[in-house]
Amino acid sequence: MAWGRKKRGGRKEPVFSGFAASLSELRLKPLDRITIADDRPASRAAPRKSAGSGDGGSSERKPSSDRKGRKGRAKKRMRVRLSRLLYWGAVLALWAVIAVVGVVVYVGAHLPPIQSLEIPKRPPTIQIVGADGSLLATRGEMAGSNVSLKDLPPYLPKAFIAIEDRRFYSHYGVDPIGILRAAVANILHLGVSQGGSTLTQQLAKNLFLTQERTLERKLQEVALAIWLEHNHTKAQILELYLNRVYFGSGAYGVEAAAQKYFGKPAKNVTLAEAAMLAGLVKSPSRLAPDRNPEGAEARAKVVLAAMVDAKFITPQQAHAASTHPSYAVKPASAGTINYVADWVGEVLDDLVGRVDQNIIVETTIDPKLQSVAETAMIDELAAKSVKFNVSQGALVAMTPDGAIRAMVGGRNYADSQFNRAVMAKRQPGSAFKPFVYLTAIESGLTPETIRQDAPLDVKGWRPENYGHEYFGAVTLTQALAMSLNTVAVRLGLEVGPANVVRTAHRLGITSKLEPNASIALGTSEVSPLELVGAYAPFANGGYAATPHIVDRIRTVDGNRILYARAAETPNRVIDPRSVAMMNTMMEQTIISGTARKADVPGWTAAGKTGTSQDFRDAWFVGYTAKLVTGVWLGNDDNTPTRKATGGGLPVEVWTRFMRAAHQGVRPEPLPDTRRGGFLPDIAQLGHQVVAPAPAIAPVSPAGRPPPVRTDVRPEAASGLDGWLVDRLFGGR
């Protein structure tokens, strides 16, 4: 036992016998090798045997078992891959469900509660009537009355189905096939060439949503379309669609569109007209038949072809409709009254705020005078616009207290909707001079005050008269009647440009005016509306007049008055004596001055012509005790005319209008010398020019004596309407 313990606990020395055999055991064997060609573990790789290895029999049996192993391993790998695919597919599907639920929750949270969704009211209709109660125009949404499917010709709704939603009766609000077709077409055309929205989706958008193009709005549209399909029949949806779809030019619904474009109710439209209406939905503003008849007709042919393809009509019917296309008629309100209607629409927000019900706007417009104003403007421009290179014009006529009776904002509303009477700012030229002379009168001068008409130099600026001639000592009456520029500039400097600006603003000019020396010649821009309004105090005895066009606004049923113009106590802006003096002077403009062609038989009239630099603007603003009317003529691009002056075309338009406006009306005098307490000696002379100077002798710049009479007597001053006026101002 002792030996055994010692044996186990003693030191054991290393033994090196059999070392070679041990090394052979450490060598790599074929099973341990890893090759690039085989991705299997080295321990499982089949060893390569040499021909003389002695294992020939075993080598012949290995390939069979190896093939079986490979198949097993392949199946195992396939099972692993399939299990992983199923796993990640389930994960992705779960996240997709979560995302869809999230989107649905988000869209639902931003929709009104489904249980509270109701078909909203039709857009409000605004009827604009004249002072006599007659309908002038319709504005707002211009929605026609609702029409039912049974009252429409069958081809009308079919036209919309054929071109907008061929599978309308088979889908449930959303058409996947249509969406796929639109997507493919858009990809092929590298842009948005087709839309996949159904009629129900379009209706949902028109009823409940905005027109913005976002993913959120599209998802809301889909949700609402499904809701509409669930709560309404196909017939109800189609009828709602036809009564709410937008057709351009403010027309909503087939009834309003048929009335606007064809002048007939929707139940009477032809097949060609139905196709044209259906084609409008794609681009109402671009394809409106009253603006683009060629485009509308081409689109109508596309609709007819779609109806044939859908077997709604025969090819023969389509051919007949194509060979007899429809053309838009001129609506009753297609003329210049639209300028009035547009302006009424702009002022409504200030008067009653947002309009959410059908209303009637009672205006101050006299339909007869509006027609006369339109005819006068259009006819005169048609006859002489080419000769004088004048393309546009504007006219404003109002009572002395500011009620607008007629307004023409341009030559042709269809060509341009820009209202020049209200929005255009142009230089008034000499038509601004009454504010200079009024300032001078208020500073103590009188119509017979003498001032020199002679060359003038203002820091290098040398204003000249129209005829480049000067008349020496003249009265203020003569200077204003003949529109002498040097006298106006002298007066402006004498009273101060800032005071002239204050006078103009006090009388009604609202535009910014520059208080410089040239303000006396009307170099600051104003609109026709404000210039005419600023002349009104001369016609009403010196009281401020606020131009206005709306008298009352009421609901269609008359149960509510939304607005009624309150009676105003006007503020006096000119004292009676100054009014009398100004009317005496401006009357001479018509009697013997630059506006001698302006004549209203039986009536006392006064006014002032104006021509801006380089003949860019031609004006005449004149008035009687009944009406104050201003006319502007020129070009929108501010190019010069061919010497069109205020005493020419504007006076002719003014006279034609004013004669018709005053026909059959008992004449009334202006607030003049007899009622204004003017100087007795002037009153005895009536309305003749009173000039203390013995004569008005033009002085030639070259110093040569002009061929003109120098013995003009004061009481015969009206004789200036002869050679002198024609030579001097040529209508200026």
Side-chain angles (χ1 to χ4, degrees):
M1 294 292 292
W3 180 85
R5 286 192 300 270
K6 187 178 181 179
K7 180 79 172 177
R8 287 191 298 270
R11 178 179 178 182
K12 188 177 181 179
E13 297 293 338
V15 178
F16 296 98
S17 60
F19 178 70
S22 299
L23 287 178
S24 64
E25 292 177 358
L26 294 175
R27 290 193 185 99
L28 290 175
K29 298 178 182 179
L31 290 175
D32 298 322
R33 294 182 183 275
I34 300 177
T35 62
I36 297 177
D38 192 354
D39 60 353
R40 291 172 295 168
S43 61
R44 294 181 181 181
R48 296 183 178 180
K49 296 293 184 177
S50 61
S53 63
D55 293 332
S58 174
S59 175
E60 292 178 359
R61 292 190 299 269
K62 288 285 185 180
S64 175
S65 61
D66 185 59
R67 282 194 295 270
K68 292 179 180 179
R70 287 184 180 181
K71 289 181 180 180
R73 287 189 295 272
K75 290 180 180 179
K76 185 177 181 180
R77 286 196 301 271
M78 183 64 69
R79 286 193 298 269
V80 171
R81 291 174 181 173
L82 183 59
S83 63
R84 290 179 178 177
L85 182 62
L86 292 175
Y87 170 78
W88 287 111
V91 171
L92 292 176
L94 178 61
W95 279 110
V97 170
I98 294 174
V100 170
V101 171
V103 170
V104 171
V105 171
Y106 177 83
V107 172
H110 289 77
L111 285 175
I114 294 296
Q115 63 272 16
S116 67
L117 277 179
E118 295 180 359
I119 302 300
K121 297 179 181 178
R122 294 179 58 83
T125 300
I126 302 170
Q127 298 181 48
I128 301 171
V129 301
D132 61 354
S134 62
L135 180 65
L136 299 178
T138 304
R139 276 296 184 270
E141 303 299 347
M142 294 178 62
S145 57
N146 282 330
V147 291
S148 61
L149 285 179
K150 62 182 180 61
D151 294 330
L152 296 173
Y155 47 74
L156 179 56
K158 288 180 179 178
F160 288 86
I161 293 174
I163 196 65
E164 290 294 322
D165 189 0
R166 194 77 60 85
R167 281 172 291 278
F168 172 71
Y169 286 105
S170 60
H171 63 65
Y172 296 95
V174 180
D175 183 11
I177 299 177
I179 295 175
L180 180 61
R181 183 202 68 241
V184 172
N186 294 337
I187 292 173
L188 293 177
H189 290 84
L190 300 178
V192 180
S193 63
Q194 290 187 20
S197 296
T198 64
L199 290 181
T200 313
Q201 286 177 260
Q202 294 180 39
L203 177 61
K205 178 179 65 176
N206 292 336
L207 291 179
F208 305 111
L209 302 174
T210 64
Q211 299 298 317
E212 62 177 346
R213 295 186 175 185
T214 63
L215 178 60
E216 178 184 350
R217 193 205 58 76
K218 196 68 178 178
L219 293 173
Q220 291 175 337
E221 178 185 295
V222 170
L224 290 170
I226 295 173
W227 178 85
L228 283 170
E229 291 277 349
H230 179 73
N231 288 274
H232 298 83
T233 66
K234 289 289 185 179
Q236 290 173 330
I237 292 173
L238 184 57
E239 186 173 300
L240 274 171
Y241 175 85
L242 293 175
N243 283 295
R244 298 301 183 93
V245 67
Y246 182 57
F247 289 93
S249 300
Y252 284 81
V254 290
E255 181 65 21
Q259 293 285 0
K260 178 172 184 59
Y261 295 125
F262 308 122
K264 62 173 69 173
K267 65 181 181 180
N268 294 336
V269 297
T270 65
L271 175 58
E273 291 166 345
M276 190 169 286
L277 290 177
L280 274 176
V281 177
K282 179 181 180 181
S283 180
S285 59
R286 183 173 61 87
L287 298 174
D290 58 347
R291 297 183 180 181
N292 183 11
E294 295 82 7
E297 184 179 342
R299 178 65 176 169
K301 291 180 179 178
V302 174
V303 175
L304 291 171
M307 294 179 73
V308 172
D309 187 55
K311 295 182 171 51
F312 291 154
I313 60 174
T314 65
Q316 292 75 19
Q317 290 175 307
H319 178 73
S322 298
T323 53
H324 296 86
S326 295
Y327 298 97
V329 299
K330 181 180 179 181
S333 61
T336 57
I337 194 63
N338 278 309
Y339 292 113
V340 174
D342 287 350
W343 191 41
V344 169
E346 292 174 8
V347 303
L348 276 182
D349 186 59
D350 293 332
L351 299 180
V352 297
R354 182 175 179 269
V355 177
D356 57 2
Q357 57 185 316
N358 295 340
I359 61 173
I360 295 177
V361 181
E362 299 176 1
T363 70
T364 60
I365 293 294
D366 185 328
K368 294 181 180 178
L369 294 186
Q370 179 68 29
S371 178
V372 171
E374 177 180 322
T375 302
M377 179 67 71
I378 293 175
D379 287 356
E380 291 296 329
L381 286 178
K384 300 176 182 178
S385 62
V386 175
K387 176 182 177 181
F388 291 100
N389 188 35
V390 174
S391 60
Q392 282 295 346
L395 181 150
V396 177
M398 66 178 67
T399 61
D401 65 351
I404 297 174
R405 296 295 187 225
M407 175 184 286
V408 176
R411 185 176 186 176
N412 190 319
Y413 182 83
D415 293 339
S416 172
Q417 291 78 52
F418 179 66
N419 191 342
R420 296 154 189 84
V422 177
M423 302 174 66
K425 296 293 185 73
R426 307 298 294 245
Q427 290 186 356
S430 296
F432 190 83
K433 288 178 181 176
F435 309 119
V436 180
Y437 281 79
L438 175 60
T439 308
I441 292 294
E442 291 177 337
S443 68
L445 278 61
T446 66
E448 70 271 17
T449 299
I450 300 296
R451 286 295 180 268
Q452 288 294 319
D453 175 33
L456 181 65
D457 189 311
V458 183
K459 296 181 179 180
W461 174 51
R462 297 179 176 85
E464 296 181 337
N465 292 332
Y466 175 71
H468 305 291
E469 294 179 306
Y470 305 93
F471 292 84
V474 295
T475 66
L476 297 190
T477 299
Q478 293 166 338
L480 182 60
M482 294 187 295
S483 197
L484 301 179
N485 289 337
T486 62
V487 177
V489 174
R490 277 190 169 89
L491 284 178
L493 294 174
E494 181 178 338
V495 301
N499 289 326
V500 173
V501 169
R502 279 192 283 270
T503 297
H505 284 158
R506 187 176 81 235
L507 266 64
I509 297 296
T510 57
S511 295
K512 182 180 179 181
L513 304 175
E514 295 296 336
N516 50 37
S518 66
I519 188 66
L521 303 185
T523 53
S524 290
E525 298 175 338
V526 298
S527 72
L529 178 65
E530 60 183 317
L531 186 59
V532 173
Y535 269 64
F538 298 126
N540 66 27
Y543 295 94
T546 303
H548 60 277
I549 196 170
V550 177
D551 269 341
R552 193 170 68 150
I553 303 173
R554 57 184 172 86
T555 57
V556 172
D557 54 21
N559 292 333
R560 289 184 60 198
I561 303 298
L562 304 179
Y563 167 82
R565 181 175 175 79
E568 295 181 350
T569 302
N571 297 321
R572 177 170 287 282
V573 292
I574 314 175
D575 67 84
R577 184 180 177 86
S578 297
V579 172
M581 292 182 186
M582 289 301 300
N583 285 341
T584 297
M585 289 193 291
M586 283 197 282
E587 186 181 350
Q588 284 301 315
T589 301
I590 293 177
I591 293 175
S592 63
T594 57
R596 288 177 297 113
K597 295 179 181 178
D599 177 40
V600 184
W603 287 80
T604 302
K608 186 68 187 78
T609 58
T611 307
S612 67
Q613 189 175 11
D614 297 327
F615 303 96
R616 298 177 190 276
D617 306 275
W619 297 78
F620 180 59
V621 183
Y623 53 93
T624 65
K626 174 182 172 63
L627 279 178
V628 186
T629 300
V631 177
W632 166 84
L633 294 172
N635 297 309
D636 286 340
D637 58 4
N638 208 31
T639 55
T641 65
R642 293 194 185 99
K643 295 188 176 182
T645 62
L649 275 179
V651 164
E652 293 174 12
V653 174
W654 184 92
T655 301
R656 182 169 175 173
F657 170 77
M658 292 290 275
R659 285 181 176 179
H662 289 77
Q663 190 172 6
V665 181
R666 185 171 63 86
E668 298 178 23
L670 282 171
D672 60 8
T673 58
R674 287 160 292 187
R675 294 192 296 170
F678 198 28
L679 297 177
D681 56 335
I682 300 296
Q684 293 174 0
L685 292 174
H687 300 293
Q688 297 298 320
V689 174
V690 177
I696 305 178
V699 179
S700 171
R704 295 187 299 272
V708 61
R709 290 174 55 192
T710 59
D711 59 344
V712 180
R713 302 176 64 84
E715 62 269 21
S718 61
L720 288 172
D721 61 358
W723 177 89
L724 187 58
V725 173
D726 292 335
R727 176 77 182 275
L728 248 185
F729 10 88
R732 186 176 175 83

